[in-house]
Amino acid sequence: MIKAFVNGKIYTSDENNLWVEALIVKDNKITFTGTTAQVLNKTTEEHEIIDLKGKLVVPGFIDCHAHIIMGGFYLLSVDLAEVKSVKEFSLTIKEYSEKNPGKPILGGNWNQQNWDIKEMPNKDMVDEYTPNTPLFVHRMDYHSALANSYALKLAGITKDTPDPDGGTIVKDPITGEPTGLLKDKAMDIVQNKLPNHTQHEFEQACLTALEEAKRFGVTSIHDVAYTNDFRTFQRLFKENKLTTRIYTRLPIEKCQNLIDAEFENPFGNDLLKIGSLKAFADGSLGSYTALFFEPYSDDPNSYGLAMDVLSDGSIRKWSIESDKANLQLSIHAIGDKANSMILDIAEELENLHGKKDRRFRIEHAQHVRREDIKRFKKLNVIASMQPYHMYDDGCWAESKIGKERLKTSFALKSFIDEGVKVCFGSDWPVATLDPVQGIYTAVTRHTLDGKNPNGFIPEEKLTVKQAVDGYTIHAAYASYEENIKGSITPGKFADFVVLSENIFTIPPEQIKNVKVIKTIFDGKVIYSV
């Protein structure tokens, strides 16, 4: 089937031809772009003509950092994202437990920074309602989680259990008993004892996540894969059920397996690829585990928490081996010290193996010293960032790190002005999968509390074009795919979305209300309202 889309305002993300009115799609590729008159002149009886009625069309959104199956399980589990108090937290758990008797309580997405009293949760808030089933609910950043007494007992955690490397078992300062709050690597102790999901449950979680992606116009995702995720993607691919292109990042500790198998990235097909290798250098700001050179302003005894694989040199070793074998690296770093240490590794790779098209990525790059922004450019390191995080973090980040360090937090414009390649994502389910909300935040830099009407660090605001490019052509570059997707260009895949309003012309504060009204993926309309 040949389709002609006409009478639109089409932003292509192609610098050689930024705006067109119409396009032609044959099978799954774009074959022509131009004016409506030019397109209609090329149509025949075999063309299906779709009138865009003046609506804005942009390339299909590419989410550069999401956890697809984790997000699907989140949608199928207890939702604590909107909780605003300890009481509401407890009652939500109570209601879920009563509706799902005997079922392990997982999911979460709580954020104590949004509560009336900003205290971390503890097991006493939930034990009464969960006496005979494990509860393990994550903070919104997935760097802290709350376990109930049942889950702690299942994992064998007591007052005498030492902290693992790269993790913290939070204990009562008086009794020494674990409070139920676990940070980073300490979470694994409980996670490893929880009942395993079935393969069917994995597939249901993935399909649920793919429906969410359709709704938000996300036609490609750079996934962060965990155990059994890639197997699930493969099964759905064989069943022709993938409705987004997946560029998956496997744990860096698996690097030797890929090296021995003689992989070079990216490897795969147009729908499913093995992309880069992912590692964690530190945790998150809200959990006090992002690693900084200076202590936290509201906790002068804490500098954050380096992951064990950073402290013991494993990330450096694995990075050297992977880079030698031409495998791409994506390293999570949020605090300024973590970013600097990973840039040191990037510099060492260049010294050891020379300059090459390695497209080394730092995931988040959230708090970075001014001198290190310049090092991103010098070393050609990609900043893979999540604009919407500042919508939440901007409410309380100053209390954690002070005004000075805040100046180079979420420094989107500074990176772009320096010439750094910047791509955007969501970190879903940590934040919404909706790229329009990310664009809104990048352009306005508004925060959840409404206290930054002129923008959180307003000098870092982006234009709509810069924000859209971060979710399209620059995102495609980050996965070596800029020649096949990321712009509405003849020869590329027919992945694009139609929006309810023109985000380039409406007042920026109205962008948050814009919806996707059509998602076209691989030449097919897979979502329409």
Side-chain angles (χ1 to χ4, degrees):
M1 174 64 74
I2 305 175
K3 300 183 180 72
F5 294 81
V6 299
N7 297 319
K9 293 181 175 64
I10 303 174
Y11 176 74
T12 67
S13 284
D14 182 345
E15 292 295 337
N16 296 316
N17 190 27
L18 275 180
W19 290 94
V20 297
E21 293 178 338
L23 61 92
I24 297 174
V25 172
K26 182 177 182 181
D27 298 324
N28 67 342
K29 296 284 182 69
I30 298 164
T31 61
F32 180 82
T33 62
T35 66
T36 293
Q38 288 173 321
V39 165
L40 290 176
N41 190 50
K42 290 178 175 289
T43 60
T44 64
E45 290 183 358
E46 65 178 338
H47 285 74
E48 176 187 357
I49 298 176
I50 299 172
D51 188 350
L52 295 168
K53 299 179 180 178
K55 293 296 186 184
L56 175 69
V57 177
V58 297
F61 293 123
I62 302 172
D63 189 314
C64 281
H65 187 119
H67 308 261
I68 301 176
I69 292 179
M70 180 190 290
F73 278 122
Y74 158 70
L75 292 174
L76 298 172
S77 303
V78 66
D79 182 3
L80 300 167
E82 300 302 318
V83 164
K84 295 293 188 291
S85 67
V86 169
K87 181 179 180 180
E88 192 177 346
F89 181 92
S90 298
L91 288 177
T92 303
I93 295 297
K94 178 178 183 288
E95 291 171 4
Y96 185 88
S97 179
E98 290 172 349
K99 291 178 182 177
N100 301 275
K103 182 179 179 180
I105 300 174
L106 308 173
N109 242 24
W110 52 268
N111 183 3
Q112 86 288 354
Q113 297 292 343
N114 294 335
W115 298 359
D116 53 356
I117 300 174
K118 296 171 175 43
E119 61 178 291
M120 286 288 200
N122 62 68
K123 62 187 181 182
D124 294 339
M125 299 176 185
V126 297
D127 276 352
E128 177 184 353
Y129 311 118
T130 59
N132 301 309
T133 189
L135 173 143
F136 191 64
V137 289
H138 286 87
R139 188 180 184 274
M140 50 85 71
D141 56 14
Y142 280 76
H143 288 277
S144 294
L146 177 69
N148 65 350
S149 291
Y150 188 98
L152 292 175
K153 184 177 180 180
L154 190 70
I157 295 176
T158 69
K159 64 189 303 183
D160 299 318
T161 306
D163 289 339
D165 290 340
T168 302
I169 300 170
V170 178
K171 296 176 181 177
D172 186 281
I174 298 174
T175 67
E177 291 291 335
T179 68
L181 190 67
L182 306 167
K183 296 185 178 183
D184 285 312
K185 284 295 182 179
M187 296 188 297
D188 294 347
I189 305 172
V190 171
Q191 189 75 58
N192 293 337
K193 294 294 183 179
L194 294 174
N196 292 324
H197 291 291
T198 66
Q199 183 58 46
H200 175 72
E201 288 172 332
F202 267 91
E203 291 173 15
Q204 287 304 114
C206 189
L207 290 171
T208 300
L210 292 177
E211 288 301 311
E212 192 84 341
K214 287 181 190 178
R215 187 162 69 93
F216 292 135
V218 178
T219 58
S220 292
I221 296 177
H222 300 179
D223 181 64
V224 180
Y226 298 103
T227 302
N228 210 42
D229 287 2
F230 191 65
R231 177 182 287 111
T232 302
F233 298 147
Q234 291 177 82
R235 292 194 177 190
L236 294 181
F237 166 73
K238 292 173 185 175
E239 296 171 6
N240 295 315
K241 292 180 178 178
L242 290 183
T243 52
T244 189
R245 305 184 195 281
I246 299 174
Y247 184 80
T248 192
R249 277 87 64 80
L250 300 176
I252 195 171
E253 55 266 29
K254 296 181 182 289
C255 68
Q256 196 58 51
N257 296 337
L258 297 182
I259 293 168
D260 291 344
E262 299 180 349
F263 278 91
E264 288 191 6
N265 66 276
F267 173 82
N269 53 59
D270 297 334
L271 286 173
L272 179 59
K273 292 181 179 179
I274 292 177
S276 60
L277 293 164
K278 173 74 186 296
F280 289 85
D282 66 346
S284 74
L285 186 67
S287 289
Y288 292 89
T289 52
L291 185 64
F292 287 94
F293 283 105
E294 300 297 328
Y296 282 82
S297 299
D298 57 353
D299 187 357
N301 295 317
S302 175
Y303 290 76
L305 186 65
M307 289 291 178
D308 56 338
V309 290
L310 179 64
S311 301
D312 67 15
S314 294
I315 287 182
R316 175 183 173 274
K317 173 178 173 290
W318 290 330
S319 295
I320 291 171
E321 292 169 353
S322 300
D323 187 69
K324 185 178 180 181
N326 296 316
L327 294 171
Q328 187 190 30
L329 294 162
S330 300
I331 313 295
H332 164 119
I334 288 185
D336 57 19
K337 186 173 183 179
N339 275 276
S340 186
M341 292 175 74
I342 299 307
L343 288 170
D344 290 343
I345 291 174
E347 187 170 6
E348 184 175 7
L349 297 181
E350 188 171 288
N351 292 336
L352 286 172
H353 304 142
K355 292 183 179 294
K356 59 180 178 178
D357 190 18
R358 51 177 49 89
R359 303 197 192 187
F360 190 112
R361 296 169 56 160
I362 290 184
E363 304 296 315
H364 307 302
Q366 196 163 296
H367 309 283
V368 181
R369 299 182 303 177
R370 187 72 64 187
E371 60 265 34
D372 281 333
I373 292 176
K374 295 182 180 298
R375 293 178 70 203
F376 269 81
K377 171 59 179 174
K378 179 183 177 183
L379 297 167
N380 294 312
V381 172
I382 296 169
S384 174
M385 306 179 77
Q386 300 76 41
Y388 194 79
H389 279 343
M390 80 180 87
Y391 186 72
D392 290 308
D393 290 14
C395 301
W396 43 263
E398 184 176 337
S399 67
K400 299 281 180 290
I401 59 174
K403 288 185 177 180
E404 193 58 35
R405 281 180 288 186
L406 209 62
K407 292 178 181 178
T408 52
S409 293
F410 300 99
L412 310 182
K413 188 172 185 296
S414 290
F415 274 115
I416 292 172
D417 289 348
E418 191 64 41
V420 176
K421 288 285 187 182
V422 178
C423 63
F424 290 151
S426 65
D427 205 7
W428 186 67
V430 173
T432 176
L433 186 62
D434 185 359
V436 172
Q437 300 307 311
I439 292 168
Y440 159 73
T441 307
V443 172
T444 66
R445 297 184 71 95
H446 286 175
T447 52
L448 178 62
D449 57 8
K451 293 181 179 179
N452 292 279
N454 190 42
F456 171 70
I457 321 170
E459 58 270 24
E460 293 290 345
K461 289 180 183 178
L462 298 188
T463 65
V464 172
K465 178 186 184 303
Q466 288 171 325
V468 171
D469 287 350
Y471 283 103
T472 56
I473 190 63
H474 296 159
Y477 173 87
S479 58
Y480 295 89
E481 295 175 301
E482 70 273 20
N483 293 323
I484 61 172
K485 64 183 183 183
S487 66
I488 297 174
T489 304
K492 292 191 177 184
F493 288 117
D495 298 347
F496 51 93
V497 298
V498 185
L499 299 180
S500 60
E501 301 290 340
N502 189 337
I503 59 177
F504 288 86
T505 59
I506 62 175
E509 60 272 13
Q510 293 181 16
I511 293 175
K512 65 180 178 182
N513 300 319
V514 173
K515 305 295 183 185
V516 169
I517 57 176
K518 283 188 191 299
T519 300
I520 294 86
F521 171 74
D522 215 37
K524 305 178 186 70
V525 179
I526 61 170
Y527 175 80
S528 183
V529 293

